[in-house]
Amino acid sequence: MLRNIWADSGSLLYCAGEVMAPTSQHVNPFSIYDGEFYGNSEEYVFVPIDLTDLWEGRINDTRLDLRMDDPESRSFDLCFAGMFRSEEEAYAYAGAWLTERGVSSDPVTEAPTESPTEAPEAQDTEAPAEGTQDPTDGTQTSDTETDAPAKKGCGSVIGMGTVAVLAAATATVALKKKD
């Protein structure tokens, strides 16, 4: 969701799985005018970009490039950006965001077919390997297969605040060792 943007088009560069850096094959061009405009003077634009079937595995990189020819109008507001499981969830989130801020009380242009859901709570679905001891009750296991689904997507998430704290701690340790 962007506000007061004076760009015509842009590109989303993406890569996931075995692809570690975007190439010319990993560019999804789009037009701002293909987005949905909201507000009394249509100052808000929601531009969903569907990457379904274009990538698989862990997300390695995304980069948004906007074409802004006029240097005088290169200032705009990025209201939110996100990744959603479906286009319907993206539209539902945008509609809720706009309604919450009083920008629009009308439903979004594309009516969602499902309501947005919370992310499922993390569950440990891995069974201990064959012949290993279960740490919770001390029993031996001898199962050869489980019916647990294979894990897909991101297996771990580190918040940006955590990264900053870790970087500061590393820098402090490095400086102390130098002294």
Side-chain angles (χ1 to χ4, degrees):
M1 180 74 70
L2 306 164
R3 183 175 67 169
N4 297 327
I5 187 163
W6 296 96
D8 293 333
S9 61
S11 297
L12 180 70
L13 289 82
Y14 60 91
C15 61
E18 299 297 318
V19 180
M20 299 307 281
T23 66
S24 61
Q25 297 173 359
H26 304 100
V27 176
N28 190 357
F30 63 90
S31 171
I32 296 291
Y33 299 109
D34 291 339
E36 304 290 330
F37 288 86
Y38 299 97
N40 292 336
S41 59
E42 296 188 334
E43 68 270 23
Y44 292 89
V45 61
F46 176 60
V47 184
I49 301 170
D50 188 2
L51 297 176
T52 305
D53 300 326
L54 293 179
W55 58 4
E56 185 178 304
R58 288 181 184 257
I59 299 167
N60 297 321
D61 190 15
T62 59
R63 186 179 83 206
L64 181 66
D65 290 341
L66 297 171
R67 181 173 177 188
M68 303 178 87
D69 295 330
D70 183 11
E72 298 296 318
S73 62
R74 289 187 178 161
S75 177
F76 65 94
D77 296 322
L78 174 61
C79 301
F80 72 83
M83 294 190 178
F84 301 90
R85 291 178 283 213
S86 68
E87 194 171 4
E88 291 81 19
E89 280 191 16
Y91 273 96
Y93 183 87
W97 189 91
L98 291 164
T99 302
E100 187 177 290
R101 285 155 182 80
V103 175
S104 174
S105 60
D106 298 331
V108 292
T109 302
E110 286 203 15
T113 57
E114 60 186 57
S115 62
T117 58
E118 295 295 320
E121 290 189 30
Q123 296 178 358
D124 186 13
T125 58
E126 290 186 26
E130 181 180 342
T132 60
Q133 188 172 9
D134 187 345
T136 57
D137 63 7
T139 59
Q140 264 327 81
T141 61
S142 60
D143 294 341
T144 55
E145 277 193 56
T146 64
D147 292 334
K151 288 187 174 184
K152 293 184 179 180
C154 294
S156 64
V157 176
I158 297 178
M160 291 308 291
T162 305
V163 172
V165 170
L166 290 173
T170 304
T172 303
V173 170
L175 288 175
K176 286 184 178 183
K177 282 186 177 182
K178 188 175 181 181
D179 288 338

